[in-house]
Structures are given as structure tokens and as C-alpha cells.
Amino acid sequence: MNVELLTKAKSLGFSDRQIAHLTGTTEDAVRAERKQLGLVPSYRLVDTCAAEFEAYTPYYYSTYDRGDDEVKGNTAKKVMILGGGPNRIGQGIEFDYCCVHAAFALKEDGFETIMVNSNPETVSTDYDTSDKLFFEPLTLEDVLHIYEREKCWGAIAQFGGQTPLNLALSLQKNGVNIIGTSPQSIEVAEDRKLFAAMLTKLGIPQPPNGLATNAEEALQASQRLGYPVLVRPSFVLGGRAMQIVYSDAELAHYMKFAVEAGPDRPVLVDKFLEDATEVDVDCITDVGQFADPSEGTIVIGGMLEHIEFAGVHSGDAAMVLPPHTLSAPVIDTIRRYTHAMARELKVIGLMNVQYAVKGDTVYVLEVNPRASRTVPFVSKAIGRPLAKLAAKVMAGKTLKELGFTEEIWTKYWAVKESVFPFNKFLGQDIVLSPEMRSTGEVMGLDADLGVAYAKAQMAANSPLPLKGKVFLSVADAHKKDVAAVARTFADLGFELVATNGTATVLEQAGLKVQRTLKVLEGRPNVVDLLKNKEIQLVINTPSGAAPREDEVKIRSTAVMTGTPIMTTISGARAAAMGIAALQDHGYAVKTVQEYH
């Protein structure tokens, strides 16, 4: 390696990490050598006026080609905000919302805001959102260059989702002042062993679990815990490669094809809590600013109860704020656990916790000491900008100074529903799983929970029918619950249509049912009825881990024909509640401001 070769490699776009890999050294060593040689990038303005006028927008990119550095220096106190990078399922626009609010809040407090993000599709990369925008990749090398060039006072890694969070520890080791929750606390929440030790210390239960670095260990852990188990790689985003496994054969297939396990990347094996209610909690706190962890304020912004049972990724699940079925003691337990973990982790800013409630026991599934994808929803539902408040807390203000010390329990219901791209992928099974698949979300607000749910369905392009035929076909495991659901629809004036197995159960319960053939039994079958628009609502729960071909056909035909479909019993109950409310008193519309 020599100066000319290193200079040429950098101007061609090779990163320090790539050069280290090719020369058998480390990224740190390449960076040190480069700095010694004075080989650092210069920053140029993006010409937003296409050379027609002189551009003044503070919008920069880096280059190693020789030339003037166009960044104008000043003595302002600067905070760097790390964005989320490319939008993808699991990490999207919710984090961009948090970054934009952070920029606005810090500007209000007199800071110069520097946004680092590499996505032209976002609001954070609008040239007028922050004081300066660096259109750069979110890598250790690029972020350090900007931090040092701008002489920043601090950097926020909490608002861009998992991408900047994964950089936090390395940035801190290289002298970056990470404001907010410390990278060490973030590691306690991310590392399974450290996290389990913290919960043991606090006396908070989590589902029985194990770690596996190979297929044999995964098999031992699963047999010890008992099926079904939830398996997933560590450090995942959007539940990628996460699966509920019901047998040894399924587990062997998962370990062979879905993940690469090793000592550095263990597979997490959790006992799956069937029929548990999942709850998402977003809170904001300043306790990490105080030497005594018993001081400081913790405010729960919102508790979101999932409509679907545990096992559906929180980014996909329909949710209700405030909780609609949880008892007061369970809500108190959730509040107590949230406060205890926020104090133990010395959180400054936002924290998200996911719980599973089974009976009266509350289990902690995971803790994220950062902004979560539900922060925009909760902020709009309660009428307080949590991301803005969190940015000011991270920059040194207390919640008392900001006047936000009390929980807000709304007098109305806010229902979050996810929007899916299934109509673009015909033939894909639409059953929800631990792996996130939604590409957007909507909100329904109303004083009546049923109407709020119905509004959310309308907004998600799946409006609930007020009359017609309901088709029911459920798995054996749900046959005990289906008669009660069907009776509700019959009482609402709907005709019932079912395949033989489900029809027999409904007839035994004294209900009148029109029988129809399964797809493989001949014609006319349920798919024909759907195509002819003879069915107005589908209730179809999957029969097992591997869905049958005819089930997939029913569900994908429902999507293709625009027929509302529920794939869980809890979803079907919610639909019945929504239809009953609409039939009873219809709905009215108010602005969000009127609710607040």
C-alpha cells in the first residue's frame, strides 16, 4: 500500500473497510494512515439550481477529487442527527418523522442541526428541514468525517431506527458524543444475555428462551422449551427471518435455509405464547440525566393493545390506544415494569417495550431504548409531539422544564391499522406472521371503539360491509370459537357460507349455513363465489405452519376481488364490533385538532 494507490482507491469510492479487507489490515489502521497523510474528503454543494443561478442550499456530498471545500464554517453549537438510510420494510418513514421533528425541536432551542441521510425519498433530506444536509451513507467512516469536519457538539443515533443504533458504540469509541441513552445501555437491551440478567435483577418475567449457534443446539433448546417456539436471528430489523416453528422437521428446515448461525450470530429460541395479547408501550424519560436513578421523570406516551394475538409483528398488527381489554392490575404491572426498566437502563429520550399478556402474567418480549415505529401514531393520538420532546430532553432539558410530566389517557379510541401491498403480489399468501410485511399505516379515531375500528378499515382500503354473505373456513384449533363469531354476524343480518368442516360446527350450534365446496372438491367453489362478488366478507384462519394450497387461493382471490378478509378470530370479532357500531349509529368525522 502506498500514497498514490490509497489516493486512487479513495477517489474511486473504495471505503476504508474495503481497503482493509483487501490489504489484510483493519478499518481503524487504514483510517489512521489516511489521516496521517492528510487524505480526507472535501464537501461540495449539490447544485439545486442546475447552474442557472448560484445555489445557496446547504446540501452537500463528499468527494476525494481535489478542489475547494464548499462547506461554510461557523461557531454555532451543532448537533448531528443520523437518519434511517434507505426505506425498506421494517424501517421506513416513521423514523424519518422522528428525525425531522428532532431537527425542528433542536432549531427551536438554538442548535445548528446537521442531518446525515442517504435517501432522496424522505422529508429529512429536504434541503430546508435542517440547517445543513449531508447526503452520505450511514457508515462509521462517513459519519466520523462529517462529525469531525463540522466540529459537532453531539450526535443523535436514537431516531433513525436500527441502522444508526448499530453504529452508536463504534462512534462513541471514536470520540463522538452520543447524546441521549448511552450506547452501553443500548447494548444491554440488544444483547440477549445482558438483557436476561437485567430482567432477573428486576424480577420481571420473560418467556422461557434459549440461544443456539448451530442446528443441534437449536433442536435441544426447542425440545427443552416445548413447541411451538419462535426462532429468529439476533439483531434483526422488521422481524426478518423470524418464524414460529411447530416441529423438529420445521426447525431443521429453518436452520438449514433461513439463517446462518454461528458464535457471533446466535439464533434466539423463545417459547411462543399462544393466544397471548401483545402490548406496545412508548415512553419518554429524562432519568439518565440524574446521578441518582430514582430521580427524574418517566411518562408513558401510549399503551397500544394489539387486536391480533401475539405472533404478528408489531409493525403489521392492528392496535388500539388506550388498551380495550386489559384489566387495571395488568395495566399497573405494565406501567411498573416500564418504569423499572427505564431507570435501570438510565434512558434519556424515548424507549419502546413490547409485552405479552397471558392470563394475569405480563411477560417482556423486548426493549428498544430508541424511537419506535409507533411514535408518530401515539404522538398524533395524544396530541403531544414525543419525538420533539425527546430531542430536547437529549439535548439537556428535563420533562418538568418542558411541562410534560403526566400520562395522557384519551377519552376517545385511536385504532392503528396496517396497509399491505398484497394486491401487487397476486398469489402471495397474506397471512400475517412475525416477519413484517406492511408498507404503511392509517388511523381511525372515534368515541366508539367499533366505529374507530371501522374507520381504520375504510382508510386501509378494506371497508366493512353492512349486509350480505360472510364466508367462514377456520382451522381445527379455532373451531371452538367460530360458532360465537358466526352467531354475531347472523344477528347482524348476514347470511353464513362455509365449507363442510366449519359448516358442520355451525349447524351443530343451531345456525343456518349455506354449504360450499373447497377449491379442490370441484365447482362452483368458494373462489367462484368470490369472483362473482357473492361474498362480502371472508373469515379464514390458517390451518397450520404450512398453509394448504386452497387456503392461499381463497385469501389471494379475496385480495384480488377487494373483499375484506380476516385471518384471525380476534380480527373477525373486531370486524363484527365495527359493523354493529356502523349499523347502529353510523359515523361522523372530526379533525384531529377537535379530538385534542
Side-chain angles (χ1 to χ4, degrees), residues 459-508:
N461 273 340
S462 185
L464 298 170
L466 296 183
K467 59 180 190 297
K469 292 182 178 179
V470 177
F471 169 75
L472 302 104
S473 176
V474 300
D476 291 343
H478 304 131
K479 293 242 166 54
K480 63 183 189 302
D481 302 312
V482 74
V485 172
R487 180 166 278 110
T488 309
F489 279 101
D491 291 345
L492 291 169
F494 284 82
E495 293 176 50
L496 307 179
V497 180
T499 47
N500 284 329
T502 306
T504 303
V505 174
L506 299 181
E507 283 169 351
Q508 285 169 351

Side-chain angles (χ1 to χ4, degrees), residues 346-572:
K346 300 182 176 66
V347 174
I348 303 172
L350 291 165
M351 180 177 89
N352 168 263
V353 192
Q354 288 168 19
Y355 294 98
V357 180
K358 184 143 188 180
D360 292 329
T361 309
V362 177
Y363 297 93
V364 173
L365 300 178
E366 63 176 296
V367 173
N368 297 303
R370 59 166 169 82
S372 76
R373 66 176 61 78
T374 46
V375 164
F377 179 88
V378 171
S379 299
K380 288 170 184 176
I382 67 170
R384 297 301 295 267
L386 294 179
K388 269 188 173 177
L389 293 167
K392 293 186 176 192
V393 164
M394 290 157 84
K397 286 197 169 168
T398 65
L399 286 171
K400 277 184 182 159
E401 284 175 73
L402 295 168
F404 187 60
T405 56
E406 298 289 324
E407 279 180 34
I408 295 173
W409 279 75
T410 57
K411 302 273 194 300
Y412 46 87
W413 301 96
V415 175
K416 175 180 98 70
E417 183 56 280
S418 299
V419 177
F420 299 93
F422 296 133
N423 58 346
K424 306 279 195 301
F425 301 101
L426 294 179
Q428 268 283 314
D429 195 8
I430 66 161
V431 168
L432 302 181
S433 71
E435 188 164 5
M436 187 173 163
R437 298 164 84 183
S438 66
T439 51
E441 65 184 39
V442 294
M443 176 193 269
L445 289 175
D446 205 89
D448 182 293
L449 177 55
V451 175
Y453 182 78
K455 284 181 177 178
Q457 297 308 311
M458 290 176 207
N461 273 340
S462 185
L464 298 170
L466 296 183
K467 59 180 190 297
K469 292 182 178 179
V470 177
F471 169 75
L472 302 104
S473 176
V474 300
D476 291 343
H478 304 131
K479 293 242 166 54
K480 63 183 189 302
D481 302 312
V482 74
V485 172
R487 180 166 278 110
T488 309
F489 279 101
D491 291 345
L492 291 169
F494 284 82
E495 293 176 50
L496 307 179
V497 180
T499 47
N500 284 329
T502 306
T504 303
V505 174
L506 299 181
E507 283 169 351
Q508 285 169 351
L511 291 162
K512 187 182 170 192
V513 189
Q514 175 191 332
R515 286 180 182 252
T516 185
L517 298 173
K518 288 184 179 173
V519 178
L520 304 175
E521 292 174 345
R523 305 184 78 161
N525 55 47
V526 59
V527 168
D528 297 318
L529 296 179
L530 279 165
K531 285 179 178 173
N532 294 340
K533 299 279 189 181
E534 290 179 46
I535 286 172
Q536 280 64 53
L537 179 70
V538 174
I539 297 167
N540 177 229
T541 67
S543 57
R548 294 198 310 266
E549 191 185 334
D550 57 336
E551 286 180 18
V552 177
K553 218 164 222 167
I554 292 168
R555 293 193 280 264
S556 56
T557 306
V559 169
M560 187 176 74
T561 56
T563 310
I565 175 165
M566 302 292 156
T567 58
T568 61
I569 291 290
S570 51

Side-chain angles (χ1 to χ4, degrees), residues 192 206-210 225 228-232 268-272:
R192 178 52 70 101
Q206 69 175 139
N209 60 71
L225 297 170
V229 293
L230 182 69
V231 282
R232 57 185 164 146
L268 313 177
V269 186
D270 290 308
K271 175 70 180 163
F272 177 61

